[in-house]
Amino acid sequence: MGIYVHGYSETEACRLADQADTLAELLHASVRFPKGSRVLEAGCGVGAQTIHLARNNPDSLFTCFDASGESIMKARERLDQAGLSNSRFEIADVYNLPYEAGSYDYVFVCFLLEHLREPETALSVLRRVLADGGSITVIEGDHGSYYCHPRSPAADQAVQCLIELQARKHGNSLIGRQLYPLLAGSGFREAHVTPRMVYVDASRPDLVEGFTRRTFIAMVEGVKEEALSAGLIDEASWNKGIADLNRSTHEDGTFCYTFFQATAMK
Amino acid sequence: MGIYVHGYSETEACRLADQADTLAELLHASVRFPKGSRVLEAGCGVGAQTIHLARNNPDSLFTCFDASGESIMKARERLDQAGLSNSRFEIADVYNLPYEAGSYDYVFVCFLLEHLREPETALSVLRRVLADGGSITVIEGDHGSYYCHPRSPAADQAVQCLIELQARKHGNSLIGRQLYPLLAGSGFREAHVTPRMVYVDASRPDLVEGFTRRTFIAMVEGVKEEALSAGLIDEASWNKGIADLNRSTHEDGTFCYTFFQATAMK
């Protein structure tokens, strides 16, 4: 089981909700399931993605699992508050699922594989619970896809701290670019990967605020103490890195990040 | 006037033609001009882009200029051979254009600004020859947007040689991410930038061959002697870098690069 690099704080729960709201249209707009579909969401966390999936697909039934009981409670509460009743939440281990082989039509995975020590094994297990002819959708980021203008070695170093800390927890924040070989290697067929690049400049103030500041920079800032404790960076360099990331949100700055969305068939 | 980092060899002319053919659909599919448009193509080189523009817009008249008389001759020959008569070619300096103010409806710029010492000045001059209400389309790459799987510091180092050599010639191969501020800074309004990301995996053999190998890796390989002469890298590291770039074209490899397409109004 992976260790979640971003932690489980209230701030983090808010960051995830902000992130999901801003990204929902970009990442989920094309995710529609036929009426009556049985969908398994792996690693649903606090339900940040689930709420959009359940709302956009009212005639599908979602089974959502996560390793964290606390996250599951929050997810259930969130969906209840939204008045959505087409999802159930369970604690489960992605490497040892309590579901029968072939019992789901679709599997949805978002921001999970990056935190796992053995993503290919997890995909093999998820493939097993998928019905023949069923399909999987996987959405992951890739922190190595980030770049901005003006360029800043200090900003790169701060982002590298996040990449390194996630790697030390046996995660892989560069996994987006690897979805194709991972899906092919775990037995799926017809893997198709679509990059979902987020490009931000001053003409897109919603993305400047919702993505660059409140999603990406907030995520990097979240590992400050850990990065300093681990001796990966000194505080002055860290502060310069964060300041330079914020610099890219100015009138003449730009920011780029790419998510990868993959689909594949059993 | 910029110095063209890639040189003017026959091999380079072939690389540009390969590149343009593979990329034409990705980069030009949306470039259509109304009937009767007067279009100025700045930095047309050997006509690698012109042939697609002229063919896709038979009722527009193209004036195409470049600093190199040799390139202009090749471009003219290429369009003649294709039986396209809606373009004329001229030698001109982008900083000192021989055209009247307001004499064009559209300006098209592709892979030019990256080679210029003063891209913002060039854009200001191009804006002057544009009619009021006319628009500019700019397409540029960004070598800092490249990444691949498996990751390789040696491959990164080889690509960095190309970036550094272009910078020493007062070019900027990281200009794609800067199009928005450059256009805004040179007086254009309503600048809108669209990233055109090229994602390549084994399910896309045409791109593996046409883009990763014959466009990108060929471009990096083109500066080998110069990089070695300049002492930017030793030969063993260079060879490892190129081998690792080629490694990303294998069955389990992936490759990413992003072009930026911008439009803006006078």
Side-chain angles (χ1 to χ4, degrees):
Chain A
M1 182 94 9
I3 300 157
Y4 190 57
V5 69
H6 309 304
Y8 292 99
S9 67
E10 278 303 314
T11 312
E12 171 61 10
C14 287
R15 185 186 72 80
L16 291 173
D18 277 351
Q19 172 177 287
D21 290 344
T22 297
L23 294 178
E25 193 170 346
L26 183 75
L27 302 180
H28 301 173
S30 65
V31 178
R32 288 291 185 283
F33 304 106
K35 196 168 175 166
S37 296
R38 300 162 300 170
V39 184
L40 182 67
E41 186 189 2
C44 62
V46 297
Q49 315 301 323
T50 320
I51 194 159
H52 297 282
L53 290 176
R55 190 179 281 139
N56 291 341
N57 298 277
D59 300 316
S60 294
L61 183 65
F62 293 87
T63 303
C64 310
F65 74 85
D66 198 275
S68 158
E70 202 180 330
S71 293
I72 285 294
M73 271 174 47
K74 286 180 184 157
R76 191 176 285 142
E77 193 179 353
R78 178 190 299 248
L79 274 281
D80 283 350
Q81 279 173 1
L84 295 165
S85 60
N86 56 334
S87 53
R88 58 183 177 134
F89 293 90
E90 299 170 350
I91 300 174
D93 171 4
V94 70
Y95 296 119
N96 187 22
L97 292 179
Y99 309 117
E100 285 192 24
S103 54
Y104 289 94
D105 305 305
Y106 298 93
V107 168
F108 181 82
V109 181
C110 185
F111 305 148
L112 170 65
L113 300 184
E114 60 167 332
H115 299 298
L116 300 181
R117 187 191 290 251
E118 296 175 43
E120 201 166 303
T121 304
L123 286 172
S124 299
V125 176
L126 290 167
R127 185 175 172 277
R128 199 184 61 81
V129 302
L130 201 56
D132 288 340
S135 74
I136 188 169
T137 295
V138 183
I139 299 171
E140 298 284 343
D142 190 312
H143 295 352
S145 74
Y146 129 86
Y147 50 98
C148 64
H149 175 72
R151 260 189 141 188
S152 155
D156 293 351
Q157 198 191 352
V159 174
Q160 187 56 43
C161 289
L162 177 59
I163 295 172
E164 172 62 24
L165 289 169
Q166 193 154 338
R168 289 185 183 190
K169 289 170 179 166
H170 309 291
N172 176 5
S173 65
L174 309 170
I175 205 164
R177 74 188 74 178
Q178 299 179 43
L179 291 185
Y180 181 83
L182 284 171
L183 285 163
S186 54
F188 284 96
R189 59 189 175 82
E190 296 177 41
H192 183 80
V193 175
T194 310
R196 303 278 187 192
M197 182 171 169
V198 185
Y199 163 79
V200 187
D201 64 33
S203 71
R204 309 174 191 221
D206 291 356
L207 284 176
V208 170
E209 191 58 29
F211 187 74
T212 309
R213 285 214 182 92
R214 283 196 286 152
T215 299
F216 188 80
I217 299 176
M219 176 174 66
V220 178
E221 283 185 302
V223 300
K224 175 179 182 180
E225 294 312 322
E226 208 177 342
L228 293 177
S229 304
L232 295 179
I233 193 169
D234 64 81
E235 187 152 13
S237 301
W238 177 270
N239 291 340
K240 170 92 167 76
I242 298 297
D244 286 356
L245 284 173
N246 278 300
R247 173 69 184 79
S248 77
T249 67
H250 292 194
E251 193 66 24
D252 62 347
T254 63
F255 183 90
C256 299
Y257 186 92
T258 300
F259 296 91
F260 290 81
Q261 177 169 342
T263 57
M265 304 283 291
K266 177 171 180 178
Chain B
M1 181 94 8
I3 301 157
Y4 190 57
V5 69
H6 309 304
Y8 292 99
S9 67
E10 278 303 315
T11 314
E12 172 62 11
C14 286
R15 185 187 72 80
L16 291 173
D18 277 352
Q19 173 177 287
D21 290 344
T22 298
L23 294 178
E25 192 170 348
L26 184 75
L27 302 179
H28 301 174
S30 65
V31 179
R32 287 291 185 283
F33 304 106
K35 196 168 176 165
S37 296
R38 300 162 298 169
V39 184
L40 181 67
E41 186 189 2
C44 63
V46 297
Q49 315 302 323
T50 320
I51 194 160
H52 297 283
L53 291 175
R55 191 179 281 140
N56 290 341
N57 297 277
D59 299 316
S60 294
L61 184 64
F62 294 87
T63 302
C64 310
F65 74 85
D66 198 275
S68 159
E70 201 179 332
S71 293
I72 285 295
M73 271 175 46
K74 285 180 185 159
R76 191 176 284 142
E77 193 180 353
R78 179 190 299 248
L79 275 281
D80 283 349
Q81 279 173 0
L84 295 164
S85 59
N86 56 334
S87 53
R88 59 184 176 132
F89 293 89
E90 299 169 350
I91 300 174
D93 171 4
V94 70
Y95 296 118
N96 186 22
L97 291 179
Y99 309 117
E100 285 191 24
S103 54
Y104 289 95
D105 305 306
Y106 297 93
V107 169
F108 180 82
V109 181
C110 185
F111 305 148
L112 169 67
L113 300 184
E114 60 166 332
H115 298 297
L116 299 181
R117 188 191 289 251
E118 297 176 42
E120 202 166 300
T121 304
L123 286 172
S124 299
V125 177
L126 290 168
R127 184 176 173 278
R128 198 185 61 81
V129 303
L130 201 56
D132 288 340
S135 75
I136 188 169
T137 296
V138 184
I139 298 171
E140 297 285 342
D142 190 314
H143 295 352
S145 75
Y146 129 86
Y147 50 97
C148 65
H149 175 72
R151 261 189 140 186
S152 155
D156 293 352
Q157 198 191 351
V159 174
Q160 187 56 42
C161 288
L162 177 60
I163 295 172
E164 173 61 23
L165 288 169
Q166 194 155 339
R168 289 185 183 191
K169 288 171 180 167
H170 310 290
N172 177 4
S173 64
L174 309 170
I175 205 163
R177 72 188 74 176
Q178 298 178 43
L179 291 184
Y180 181 84
L182 284 172
L183 285 163
S186 54
F188 285 95
R189 58 190 175 82
E190 296 177 41
H192 183 80
V193 175
T194 310
R196 303 276 186 193
M197 182 170 170
V198 185
Y199 163 78
V200 187
D201 63 33
S203 71
R204 309 174 191 220
D206 291 356
L207 284 175
V208 170
E209 191 57 29
F211 187 74
T212 309
R213 284 213 183 93
R214 282 195 286 153
T215 300
F216 188 80
I217 299 176
M219 176 175 65
V220 178
E221 284 186 302
V223 299
K224 176 179 182 178
E225 293 313 322
E226 207 177 343
L228 294 176
S229 304
L232 295 178
I233 193 169
D234 64 80
E235 187 153 11
S237 301
W238 177 270
N239 291 340
K240 170 92 166 75
I242 298 297
D244 285 357
L245 284 174
N246 277 301
R247 174 69 185 78
S248 78
T249 67
H250 291 194
E251 192 65 24
D252 62 348
T254 64
F255 183 90
C256 299
Y257 185 92
T258 299
F259 296 91
F260 291 79
Q261 177 169 342
T263 56
M265 305 284 291
K266 177 170 181 180

